[in-house]
Amino acid sequence: QVQLVESGGGLVQAGGSLRLSCAASGSIFSFNFMAWYRQYPGKQRELVAGILARGNTNYADSVKGRFTISRDNAKNTVYLQMNSLKPEDTAVYYCKGVRPPLDYWGQGTQVTVSS
């Protein structure tokens, strides 16, 4: 059974940085796509950043130039480096892995940015 475990969330001041990690229980080679989503209270999850197996990336407009997604296949881990954080980045962040026909989700990690 595949498990994705996020870590690295916390409280940071505006302008600060955090790095989120998503560790998979098995090889991430088998995931066609891995991504970070975030969810605000009462809202649906929204895509923050995604990375294909071959390394292509995409970002939400709101985080372009501030966030960077990367994957370390040797460590079976996907990262989200978040710089220049803003209060509006406060949310629960989730890792997602796509291995057709299934999607896998982590449990989420809270990121809080104080003004």
Side-chain angles (χ1 to χ4, degrees):
Q1 183 176 354
V2 175
Q3 284 189 316
L4 300 176
V5 179
E6 301 101 333
S7 61
L11 174 64
V12 64
Q13 287 189 330
S17 299
L18 284 174
R19 189 177 79 157
L20 305 183
S21 299
C22 172
S25 57
S27 172
I28 64 173
F29 276 116
S30 61
F31 291 103
N32 293 0
F33 179 72
M34 297 198 75
W36 287 96
Y37 285 69
R38 63 188 177 191
Q39 188 170 25
Y40 300 109
K43 303 290 186 181
Q44 289 190 331
R45 292 179 191 180
E46 60 179 40
L47 178 67
V48 175
I51 185 166
L52 293 171
R54 59 182 179 268
N56 303 63
T57 58
N58 65 293
Y59 297 91
D61 287 343
S62 59
V63 306
K64 282 181 181 176
R66 300 189 298 123
F67 290 10
T68 303
I69 188 171
S70 62
R71 59 195 290 166
D72 186 333
N73 292 331
K75 295 183 178 180
N76 296 320
T77 301
V78 175
Y79 302 98
L80 184 68
Q81 178 67 44
M82 305 187 294
N83 299 328
S84 302
L85 282 161
K86 304 175 181 180
E88 51 264 43
D89 294 318
T90 295
V92 179
Y93 285 71
Y94 294 90
C95 177
K96 174 183 174 180
V98 177
R99 180 190 292 170
L102 298 177
D103 293 348
Y104 298 89
W105 291 92
Q107 82 287 353
T109 186
Q110 175 71 46
V111 171
T112 302
V113 184
S114 63
S115 57

